[in-house]
Amino acid sequence: MFSKLWADIQKGKLASVYLLAGLESYYIDETIRRIKDKLEEEGEVESVTIDLDEKPVDLVIDESDTIPFFSSKKLIIAKNASFLKATDKTKEKIQHDLTRLARWLEFPSDTSVTIFIAPYEKLDERKKVTKQMKEHAVYLLAETPKEHDLAVWVQHEVAGFGKLIEDEATAKLIELVGLDMLHLKSEVDKICLYLGEETTITASLVEELVSKTLEQDAFKMLNAYIRHDVSEALSIYHDLIRQKQEPIMLVALLASQIRLMSNVYYLLKKGYHSGQIAKQLKVNPYRIKRIVEDRRNISEEALLKALYGLSEVDLKLKSVSGRRERFLELFLMKPL
Amino acid sequence: MSYQAFYRVYRPQSFKEMSGQSHIKRTLQNALLAGKTTHAYLFSGPRGTGKTSTAKIFAKTINCEHAPTAEPCNECATCKSITNGSHPDVIEFDAASNSSVDEIRDIIEKVRFAPASARYKVYIIDEVHMLSTSAFNALLKTLEEPPPHVVFILATTEPHKIPATIISRCQRFDFKRLSTTDILERMKLVLEEIDLPYDEQALKVIAKSAAGGMRDALSMLDQVVSFSAEKLTLEDSLFVTGSISQDIFYTLAENLAKGDVANVLDVLEQLMDEGKDAVRLSEDLITFFRDLLLIQSAPDLSDLLELATTDEKFLTLANEFTMDTLYSYIDVLSKTQQEMRLSLHAKVYLETALLKMSQINHKRPKQAYVTSSSENMDVEMPQLVEMQSKIAALESLVQQLQVGGNTVQPQPQGSGQPKRPRAKANTGFNVPVGRIQEVLKVATKQDIQSIKSAWAESLNRLPKSQSALLEDAEPVAASASAFVLKFKYDIHCQMAVENQELISHFSQHLAEMTGNYYQVICVPEENWQRIRADFIQHHNTDKVADKETDKETSTGEQKAEVVQSILEDEQPLSEDPLVVEAEKLFGKDFITIEE
C-alpha cells in the first residue's frame, strides 16, 4: 500500500489530493515527508498547514486554488479532518462547507498538492463527503502492521542504517517498546547512533538502551520476586520509588499482573494455547508468551498467596501511617 | 565573587568530564558527529544524575564554532556565553514555575524565528512533567512540526507523568543512578582541587548516603568541608550525614538479642534524654530492623541500608535474629507507632513495645510452642501424619467399594432372568434388568462422577414441570454409553419412562455438560436394591465357583457369549470379563490366554 504510494511519489507521480487516514502516525508523517522532499527537488516549496479543528475547510480550498507565487507547486496539509469521522462528539465549532468541498474535489487545482489527514481509527463510510473524498483523492489507511510484519519492518529500518539486528533483539525491542511504529523508529535511530562503527544490534544492547516503561520495570520486579531474587527485586523497587512512583500504584500493578498470571495458568489448564489466551483476555500476546514461558517458576498456590499478601500491603498503605514505601519493601523481602 | 556551591562550580562542562551515563554520552556524541540529531530529546532519571548538565553540554556542542564535533571547545564565544547562561538562542525554561499555557506559548511563538547567532535554537525545558495539560498540548503542536533549526530538550524526574503523545515524538534517554565509585572519583577530584586532605573512609560514607545522586553527594561534601577544619575526617562526615546513630541502635539490638531487658530500657532512656522524639525513634527502629532484614535477604544491596552498614558487627547481629523475629519486631513497632499518635505518653508505648519484642526473642531458643511458623509445622506434624494415614485408609476403602461394584459383572446374566418377571409383577413396570446389568458391567467411576457433577445444572435447564419428576431421582451407576437412574417411587419411574420427551431432553442437556451422550435407564429404588444385592451375592459365589471345575467355566463361557451378544449393538466389549475376573483372582502374571 504505502510502499506503492511512496514509489509513485518517488517517480514524481503526484496526485492533487491525498487522504491519509488511520492511527499509525508513522506512515502519515513519512508520506508527508516524502511528498515534501519530492516537491523540494524543484526548489523551495510554499507549504501551509491548516488545522480543521480550528479553521473551516473553505480556507483549505481557497489556499489550494490560489496560484503559488514562487514555486511551481504548493503543499497544503489539512489536519484533523473530523468531518469524515463517524461519531462527532466534539461540538462542531467550525462550520465546514461540505458542498463546496464536494464541488472542488471534482476539479481540484493542479498547482497544489493537498493532503487531508484523518487520524482516526475509522471513517464514516456512509457519509456522502467520505465517499466523494475516497473517489477523488488518493486514499490510504495507515494501520499498525501485525507483529510479524513489524519485525520485518524493524529489520528493514535497521538495514537502512547499514546495520544488522539479531532476531532476539528484534523481539526484545518490540516487547519493550510495543507496537507504536513512531516510537520503534526513534529507538532504532537511537541504537544505530550508539553503534557508530559497530554493525550488529544485540539483545543486551536493546536492553541497555531502550527506555523502559513503568509496567516493564514493575513486571521485572515481580519476576525477580518470584525467582526469589530479593536483591534484584529490591533494587528495581528503589529505582521506582526514586522516580516518585506511588507505592499504591505499584501494588495495584503487581496485583494485576499476578491476577493475569493466574488467569493465564487457568486457561492453560483448560487447554487454551497462548494465542487464544491473548484473545480471550485481550492482552498483548507478548505478555502472555512471557507468562507462559515462566510458568514453571511458581505454583498457583504461591500466586494466590502473593496476591493475598499484596492486598494486605494495600490495606496497610491506606490505613497505617509511617513511611509508605516500607510496606511493599517488607513484602518483597519476605520469602514467598 | 560570591561563594558558589560545589555542585555549581563542578558542574561538568564537557562530555568527557561527565561521570557515568556512558551509553547516553556515546549515542549523543555519535549523533552530533554525524549531524543526525533529532529535534526533540527527553532526558529522564533520578535527581543529580546529569540531565540538565547533559542538556547544556549538548547545546554547546551543537552550536560550538568548531562543530561538528564530539566535545564543546568551551573557548569560543558561543560556548562561553552558553556556559554563563547568556546566549540568546539557548533558552532554559523551568516548567515547574512556568507551567501554564500562556507561558509556554510565549516561548513557542518565538520558535519560528531563526536563531540569532548560533546554528540551532536549543530549548531546555526542565521539570517538564509539571506542565499543565493544555501547556503539553501547545508543546505537542510544535513538536509535531518543528522548524529545522530547533532542538527541544525535555528533562524530567518523573517520565510517567508526561503524555504518551509527547514521549513518542522524542528520542528518550534514561539516565541511570551513578555508581559509588563514580561519585568517589568526582569528590576526590574536587578535594584535590581545593587542596584539602581527606579520609578515604569519610568520602565513602558520603557517597553511600548520596545514593547515586551526584548533586546530593557534592552538597553533602560542601557541608562537610565547611564543617571540618584542616582535614576531612570520618567523624565529620558521619556527623553531617546523620550516620552517627547507628551505634546506639546496634547496642539496643544487641541487648534485645541477649534478652537483657534492663539494658534495652537504659538505652531507650538515654536516647530520650538526648531529646529524640519517641515517634521518630520508633520509625528509626523500624528502619534499623528493616536494614537487618535487608542484610539477611539481600546482602549485596548495601546501598539501600539506611541505619546499618555492612560492617562485620552488623552482619553477626543480623544473623542472631531469624527473619520471622525481625518481621514480628517490625509489626510490633508499627502497631505501637499507630497507638502513639493518639497518646500523650508516647514513651510508655515505646517501652512496652520493646518489652514485647524482648519476649518474642526470648521464646525462640526454647523451641516449644512458639510464634515462628517453622516450629508450628513441627507441632502439627504428628497430627498431620495421623490425618494422612486416615485419609489413605478411607481412600482404599472407597476403592474397594468401587471395585466391588465393578466386578459384579459376570454373574448377573444367570440370575437376572428369573428376576425380571418378578419385578414386572411387583410394579407393573418393566424393569430393564438386563440393560442395568450391562451398564454395571462396564460402569466406571469417572462416568458417574461426571454425570453427578452435571446433574444439578442439567436439572435446572429443564422446565419446572419436568424437573419436578426427577427431583427425587438419583444417578447410581454409569458406563460410557448409559447410566442408571434410581427413582424413589415406582410411579415416578413409570411416568418418567413414558415421558419420552423428558428423557431425550434431559440426556441432551447432560450430553452438553459432560460431552458424552448417555442413555437413561430408569429403575425404582426397590428394584435397584434387589438387583444390586443379587450382583454382589452372585459375584461372591462366582468367585468360589470359578475356582472349582471346568463345568463352571463352560457356563461362564456361555454367559460371556450372551453378554457379548447383548452388548454388540451398543458398544464393543473392551475385555473378556472372564479374563478380567481370572486376573483378579490369580494375578496377571499367572495367566496365559488360549483361544
Side-chain angles (χ1 to χ4, degrees):
Chain A
M1 295 204 316
F2 275 90
S3 45
K4 186 176 170 294
L5 175 68
W6 291 344
D8 282 349
I9 293 170
Q10 197 56 45
K11 277 183 231 151
K13 277 196 259 169
L14 287 176
S16 313
V17 186
Y18 289 93
L19 171 59
L20 306 177
L23 289 175
E24 187 52 67
S25 40
Y26 167 78
Y27 281 129
I28 294 174
D29 287 4
E30 192 66 20
T31 311
I32 295 175
R33 191 183 65 78
R34 279 165 195 257
I35 292 175
K36 210 173 194 167
D37 283 355
K38 189 71 203 170
L39 290 176
E40 269 169 6
E41 281 175 13
E42 297 160 26
E44 204 173 325
V45 176
E46 276 177 63
S47 100
V48 186
T49 305
I50 294 163
D51 186 348
L52 289 175
D53 273 346
E54 285 167 9
K55 301 271 165 51
V57 74
D58 299 65
L59 204 68
V60 178
I61 299 171
D62 292 341
E63 193 68 56
S64 162
D65 282 341
T66 320
I67 294 164
F69 276 120
F70 305 108
S71 51
S72 58
K73 284 223 176 187
K74 200 166 164 184
L75 180 65
I76 294 130
I77 299 165
K79 293 197 298 186
N80 298 327
S82 54
F83 52 83
L84 299 171
K85 198 164 49 161
T87 43
D88 206 0
K89 276 168 201 150
T90 48
K91 281 275 171 283
E92 276 282 303
K93 277 181 233 158
I94 309 295
Q95 281 298 317
H96 296 295
D97 188 352
L98 296 181
T99 42
R100 187 176 166 208
L101 177 68
R103 254 182 288 128
W104 175 80
L105 274 173
E106 288 180 27
F107 306 102
S109 146
D110 52 3
T111 54
S112 63
V113 174
T114 312
I115 306 173
F116 286 91
I117 297 167
Y120 318 111
E121 205 178 340
K122 251 186 182 164
L123 301 182
D124 188 353
E125 305 287 341
R126 291 163 305 175
K127 277 191 179 174
K128 203 174 157 204
V129 61
T130 315
K131 283 180 195 155
Q132 280 163 333
M133 227 15 171
K134 278 178 142 180
E135 194 186 329
H136 296 290
V138 175
Y139 164 71
L140 275 178
L141 186 66
E143 277 175 321
T144 306
K146 296 271 173 294
E147 273 156 50
H148 177 69
D149 299 340
L150 208 57
V152 173
W153 175 76
V154 167
Q155 272 152 10
H156 181 78
E157 284 296 314
V158 174
F161 281 90
K163 315 275 181 205
L164 292 170
I165 183 164
E166 291 173 358
D167 284 350
E168 205 184 324
T170 315
K172 184 104 210 160
L173 184 69
I174 294 174
E175 184 195 327
L176 287 176
V177 175
L179 305 177
D180 182 355
M181 292 173 82
L182 210 59
H183 194 176
L184 277 171
K185 172 100 173 99
S186 97
E187 294 293 346
V188 167
D189 289 355
K190 192 168 86 181
I191 297 171
C192 287
L193 277 176
Y194 174 82
L195 278 178
E197 298 296 304
E198 290 164 47
T199 50
T200 316
I201 299 177
T202 61
S204 59
L205 197 63
V206 171
E207 172 80 16
E208 174 78 11
L209 281 171
V210 170
S211 312
K212 291 173 198 75
T213 61
L214 165 68
E215 281 81 5
Q216 281 147 9
D217 277 335
F219 297 156
K220 227 167 117 189
M221 171 166 90
L222 186 67
N223 282 337
Y225 172 67
I226 287 169
R227 277 195 323 251
H228 306 289
D229 188 346
V230 178
S231 314
E232 166 96 12
L234 281 182
S235 57
I236 297 174
Y237 175 67
H238 279 269
D239 279 347
L240 289 172
I241 289 298
R242 248 180 236 112
Q243 282 174 32
K244 307 214 181 79
Q245 295 289 355
E246 177 58 39
I248 292 186
M249 193 165 78
L250 290 177
V251 169
L253 253 173
L254 291 186
S256 81
Q257 172 75 356
I258 292 183
R259 206 179 128 258
L260 181 69
M261 286 167 83
S262 91
N263 282 350
V264 168
Y265 296 154
Y266 176 74
L267 289 177
L268 270 182
K269 256 203 276 172
K270 288 194 83 177
Y272 284 59
H273 63 74
S274 41
Q276 288 171 314
I277 295 176
K279 216 174 232 170
Q280 177 82 22
L281 300 174
K282 298 196 178 80
V283 195
N284 183 344
Y286 269 99
R287 249 177 100 189
I288 302 287
K289 218 170 93 190
R290 287 295 296 274
I291 293 177
V292 173
E293 278 167 12
D294 292 345
R295 120 191 88 184
R296 260 168 251 295
N297 290 336
I298 188 166
S299 69
E300 269 178 76
E301 199 189 309
L303 274 183
L304 293 180
K305 236 173 94 187
L307 199 56
Y308 179 71
L310 281 173
S311 78
E312 277 184 336
V313 173
D314 192 48
L315 178 68
K316 273 191 196 153
L317 277 172
K318 287 166 182 169
S319 59
V320 181
S321 57
R323 290 184 52 180
R324 304 171 52 76
E325 69 271 15
R326 264 302 166 264
F327 303 113
L328 189 54
E329 186 182 49
L330 290 173
F331 169 80
L332 289 173
M333 270 192 250
K334 211 174 218 161
L336 197 66
Chain B
M1 200 176 120
S2 63
Y3 178 75
Q4 267 197 324
F6 279 169
Y7 72 85
R8 294 190 56 199
V9 183
Y10 293 95
R11 200 183 257 278
Q13 298 300 344
S14 65
F15 286 116
K16 202 172 61 210
E17 278 178 48
M18 259 178 71
S19 316
Q21 320 299 2
S22 55
H23 60 291
I24 295 172
K25 283 194 287 189
R26 181 169 158 189
T27 314
L28 288 179
Q29 286 184 313
N30 281 341
L32 284 164
L33 268 179
K36 279 185 183 162
T37 52
T38 65
H39 56 263
Y41 289 94
L42 175 65
F43 292 172
S44 67
R47 69 191 139 91
T49 48
K51 295 179 297 296
T52 318
S53 304
T54 311
K56 284 193 124 185
I57 297 170
F58 183 84
K60 273 193 284 190
T61 319
I62 201 171
N63 280 329
C64 178
E65 283 165 21
H66 303 289
T69 163
E71 289 281 3
C73 66
N74 280 325
E75 277 163 9
C76 63
T78 319
C79 283
K80 276 186 178 158
S81 64
I82 293 175
T83 306
N84 64 35
S86 63
H87 199 282
D89 292 324
V90 176
I91 297 113
E92 273 190 81
F93 182 81
D94 179 27
S97 48
N98 307 295
S99 59
S100 72
V101 216
D102 296 334
E103 283 151 330
I104 196 123
R105 249 190 211 147
D106 261 359
I107 295 211
I108 283 167
E109 264 170 23
K110 291 173 195 138
V111 163
R112 300 260 152 233
F113 307 133
S117 64
R119 268 172 305 129
Y120 286 95
K121 265 190 160 175
V122 183
Y123 286 83
I124 301 174
I125 305 183
D126 230 337
E127 307 298 331
V128 71
H129 61 272
M130 299 295 281
L131 288 179
S132 65
T133 323
S134 40
F136 267 128
N137 284 333
L139 184 62
L140 184 60
K141 288 242 150 126
T142 322
L143 285 183
E144 272 175 356
E145 317 153 25
H149 53 76
V150 167
V151 176
F152 280 96
I153 302 178
L154 315 179
T156 181
T157 46
E158 295 167 53
H160 56 281
K161 285 191 180 157
I162 298 172
T165 41
I166 297 259
I167 291 182
S168 77
R169 300 271 163 190
C170 299
Q171 202 165 79
R172 185 172 162 188
F173 289 95
D174 286 353
F175 284 67
K176 307 215 161 84
R177 277 188 297 130
L178 297 164
S179 71
T180 315
T181 28
D182 283 337
I183 295 179
L184 269 180
E185 289 303 312
R186 190 81 186 150
M187 285 196 295
K188 278 182 196 163
L189 196 106
V190 170
L191 288 176
E192 268 152 29
E193 211 142 293
I194 60 166
D195 212 12
L196 189 78
Y198 57 87
D199 223 339
E200 181 94 23
Q201 208 57 36
L203 294 190
K204 272 189 187 151
V205 170
I206 298 173
K208 187 168 283 176
S209 51
M214 187 64 87
R215 189 165 53 227
D216 289 5
L218 287 184
S219 32
M220 250 183 281
L221 185 68
D222 215 345
Q223 260 183 319
V224 181
V225 165
S226 43
F227 187 78
S228 51
E230 275 145 26
K231 188 172 186 272
L232 199 108
T233 60
L234 181 62
E235 285 77 46
D236 295 340
S237 59
L238 278 177
F239 187 82
V240 169
T241 53
S243 317
I244 195 115
S245 45
Q246 48 179 243
D247 278 334
I248 202 143
F249 285 118
Y250 174 78
T251 333
L252 198 142
E254 203 184 21
N255 284 322
L256 260 181
K258 276 189 279 181
D260 190 344
V261 184
N263 262 328
V264 170
L265 292 183
D266 263 357
V267 174
L268 177 66
E269 197 68 30
Q270 194 187 324
L271 280 166
M272 299 299 280
D273 284 347
E274 278 175 25
K276 292 243 180 192
D277 175 38
V279 179
R280 182 67 214 278
L281 202 58
S282 64
E283 184 66 61
D284 284 351
L285 275 173
I286 292 179
T287 309
F288 184 75
F289 287 119
R290 168 260 186 198
D291 282 357
L292 293 186
L293 260 179
L294 196 68
I295 291 177
Q296 275 191 20
S297 53
D300 48 328
L301 289 182
S302 53
D303 283 4
L304 297 178
L305 295 176
E306 287 175 32
L307 289 173
T309 58
T310 40
D311 290 354
E312 193 57 39
K313 63 175 185 176
F314 284 105
L315 293 183
T316 40
L317 181 67
N319 286 329
E320 277 183 48
F321 299 96
T322 64
M323 254 190 187
D324 286 318
T325 318
L326 288 173
Y327 272 110
S328 48
Y329 280 3
I330 291 172
D331 247 17
V332 170
L333 282 167
S334 74
K335 271 189 200 125
T336 310
Q337 219 180 8
Q338 290 307 300
E339 288 160 359
M340 277 195 286
R341 281 172 214 278
L342 304 171
S343 162
L344 289 173
H345 306 285
K347 189 186 155 199
V348 181
Y349 279 104
L350 192 55
E351 279 173 352
T352 333
L354 285 172
L355 286 175
K356 235 190 251 172
M357 282 154 59
S358 65
Q359 273 176 5
I360 293 172
N361 200 36
H362 254 316
K363 278 180 187 170
R364 199 179 69 85
K366 281 186 196 163
Q367 293 269 330
Y369 41 91
V370 197
T371 46
S372 145
S373 66
S374 63
E375 273 136 309
N376 272 343
M377 284 288 278
D378 285 338
V379 176
E380 278 165 14
M381 265 333 232
Q383 292 171 355
L384 208 69
V385 171
E386 201 182 320
M387 290 289 277
Q388 273 170 345
S389 66
K390 271 188 186 166
I391 289 171
L394 280 172
E395 266 174 0
S396 69
L397 204 66
V398 169
Q399 218 138 40
Q400 275 169 20
L401 285 175
Q402 193 72 31
V403 169
N406 270 347
T407 50
V408 187
Q409 346 139 332
Q411 230 41 24
Q413 271 323 88
S415 64
Q417 250 130 16
K419 212 150 255 170
R420 205 183 271 166
R422 207 166 68 198
K424 208 172 195 172
N426 276 354
T427 59
F429 166 66
N430 191 3
V431 180
V433 181
R435 284 176 65 196
I436 293 174
Q437 285 157 355
E438 285 157 34
V439 171
L440 282 175
K441 210 171 295 167
V442 284
T444 67
K445 198 175 177 181
Q446 278 168 348
D447 282 305
I448 187 71
Q449 267 169 356
S450 72
I451 287 176
K452 273 186 175 162
S453 61
W455 185 257
E457 181 60 34
S458 321
L459 215 54
N460 272 339
R461 289 191 189 182
L462 285 175
K464 198 79 191 163
S465 60
Q466 296 183 340
S467 70
L469 202 56
L470 298 178
E471 204 90 277
D472 281 333
E474 186 192 346
V476 286
S479 71
S481 63
F483 74 95
V484 179
L485 186 56
K486 180 195 81 180
F487 285 84
K488 215 165 181 183
Y489 304 105
D490 297 356
I491 184 72
H492 284 165
C493 180
Q494 201 160 354
M495 279 165 75
V497 171
E498 278 160 15
N499 192 344
Q500 277 304 317
E501 197 190 3
L502 163 67
I503 298 289
S504 67
H505 273 171
F506 187 66
S507 45
Q508 245 164 39
H509 287 312
L510 263 185
E512 270 169 41
M513 306 287 299
T514 58
N516 198 352
Y517 191 84
Y518 295 101
Q519 278 191 332
V520 186
I521 302 168
C522 301
V523 59
E525 183 164 35
E526 202 185 330
N527 298 54
W528 166 248
Q529 297 293 356
R530 216 172 299 138
I531 295 170
R532 189 168 169 274
D534 272 353
F535 282 154
I536 295 168
Q537 190 198 341
H538 275 265
H539 167 68
N540 289 337
T541 54
D542 198 35
K543 264 187 188 171
V544 183
D546 258 8
K547 276 179 194 163
E548 290 173 15
T549 50
D550 47 355
K551 187 193 154 208
E552 273 294 321
T553 351
S554 67
T555 54
E557 267 165 23
Q558 275 171 5
K559 260 190 287 177
E561 266 168 44
V562 179
V563 166
Q564 199 97 39
S565 67
I566 296 170
L567 282 178
E568 249 161 23
D569 44 357
E570 282 186 29
Q571 60 163 125
L573 194 63
S574 53
E575 265 180 299
D576 189 342
L578 213 64
V579 176
V580 174
E581 185 63 19
E583 271 177 6
K584 222 157 260 154
L585 288 171
F586 303 109
K588 264 191 179 130
D589 300 344
F590 295 101
I591 292 176
T592 46
I593 302 162
E594 286 174 13
E595 297 275 326

